[in-house]
Amino acid sequence: MQDPNEDTEWNDILRKKGILPPKESPKDDEEEEEVAVKQQSVVKTYESMTLEELEENEDEFGEDDEAAIEMYKQQRLAEWKAAQKKNVFGELGEISGQDYVKEVNKAGEGIWVVLHLYKQGIPLCTLINQHLSGLARKFPQTKFLKSISTTCIPNYPDRNLPTIFVYFEGEMKAQFIGPLVFGGMNLKAEELEWRLSESGAVKTDLEENPRKQIEDKLMSSIRSSLPTRKDSDSEDEDN
């Protein structure tokens, strides 16, 4: 018996005359091909996805893709950890003049550097070093450094100490020179953090300058201690 689905001239004539039903399309083959193409495109998709995107779209992939997706997730995680490790500092480092170019000017792409020029025996320098040590732990993506002023810059005047230079990708972005800029020994770590955040060196979660709160309280106490106009008028009348 002849196969009605066979591709022959005779079968084509019979189909045209309606004697044989239309040829069945090979659905299984087409479906398999469609699935294969889809899977290919899925692989291409998650190959280019970030770790975050892989996690967000996890439900859209089939069971067959789970192993591959997990592999790509681990790969992205390893890449992310390597990038984080590469740019993590976390402590206040000490440099000399010889290290300046390498550690500051050539710190690397996307790296902020905060450099404190100091001298031992200057209380405000000691205080700032303490504050910077804390900030280095809080903001490990920023490179915090200190250097004895004259070993870093020959004949650097003591009257300019403390000095903080802020660099980004080798370019100076801010400088704080001399004790008056820092407000003396009353300087708080939060105030220094705010100053550095204004230059871009750190991303603070402080909503406003802590110094402003102190100044507002100070002005408030001054205003409350001043005689009112009424009191002044009564004093004039008595005189």
Side-chain angles (χ1 to χ4, degrees):
M1 188 178 175
Q2 194 167 355
D3 183 1
N5 284 319
E6 194 178 349
D7 284 323
T8 63
E9 248 182 280
W10 177 242
N11 280 353
D12 286 341
I13 292 166
L14 293 176
R15 282 192 202 99
K16 281 177 187 173
K17 294 190 177 291
I19 297 168
L20 283 180
K23 186 183 171 186
E24 288 180 15
S25 59
K27 284 183 183 175
D28 291 346
D29 292 347
E30 282 179 12
E31 281 174 10
E32 278 177 24
E33 195 178 336
E34 195 179 326
V35 167
V37 170
K38 199 173 180 183
Q39 281 178 337
Q40 244 181 350
S41 67
V42 165
V43 169
K44 283 178 186 172
T45 304
Y46 56 64
E47 267 183 345
S48 59
M49 280 186 175
T50 63
L51 179 63
E52 196 175 324
E53 287 168 340
L54 281 169
E55 287 175 348
E56 281 176 6
N57 296 288
E58 208 166 6
D59 296 338
E60 293 180 22
F61 302 122
E63 288 180 16
D64 296 339
D65 303 311
E66 282 181 9
I69 291 165
E70 189 58 36
M71 183 187 77
Y72 282 113
K73 276 172 71 176
Q74 293 304 320
Q75 193 177 318
R76 296 290 177 275
L77 189 61
E79 287 166 3
W80 180 81
K81 282 182 177 176
Q84 292 295 306
K85 195 173 181 181
K86 187 181 174 185
N87 294 337
V88 166
F89 305 101
E91 60 182 18
L92 180 61
E94 179 99 29
I95 64 166
S96 66
Q98 293 173 334
D99 308 316
Y100 199 98
V101 173
K102 181 191 168 190
E103 297 292 337
V104 179
N105 299 100
K106 295 182 178 178
E109 191 179 339
I111 303 295
W112 285 92
V113 179
V114 175
L115 172 65
H116 176 214
L117 299 184
Y118 76 102
K119 255 195 181 171
Q120 290 173 344
I122 299 177
L124 186 53
C125 287
T126 305
L127 179 68
I128 286 175
N129 277 337
Q130 287 172 3
H131 290 338
L132 291 178
S133 290
L135 292 175
R137 288 191 294 274
K138 187 174 181 179
F139 302 102
Q141 304 301 319
T142 300
K143 183 189 269 193
F144 286 86
L145 301 170
K146 62 178 178 175
S147 180
I148 293 173
S149 57
T150 48
T151 65
C152 201
I153 304 173
N155 304 317
Y156 194 75
D158 287 357
R159 68 175 178 275
N160 287 351
L161 300 178
T163 291
I164 287 181
F165 294 140
V166 177
Y167 284 82
F168 180 67
E169 296 184 344
E171 282 187 33
M172 188 182 286
K173 296 296 181 183
Q175 52 185 359
F176 307 96
I177 299 172
L180 293 176
V181 172
F182 296 100
M185 290 299 291
N186 291 322
L187 178 71
K188 300 284 185 284
E190 292 81 10
E191 293 168 41
L192 188 54
E193 179 181 329
W194 181 265
R195 287 283 187 89
L196 294 176
S197 75
E198 286 184 315
S199 71
V202 298
K203 291 181 180 178
T204 183
D205 52 7
L206 296 170
E207 292 181 0
E208 64 171 10
N209 186 354
R211 188 80 192 165
K212 186 177 177 294
Q213 296 173 357
I214 296 165
E215 286 168 359
D216 287 348
K217 284 179 184 175
L218 186 63
M219 289 306 294
S220 177
S221 65
I222 290 170
R223 279 195 296 271
S224 64
S225 64
L226 288 172
T228 60
R229 188 168 181 177
K230 192 175 178 184
D231 292 339
S232 300
D233 292 343
S234 63
E235 281 179 19
D236 291 341
E237 284 173 14
D238 292 341
N239 292 333

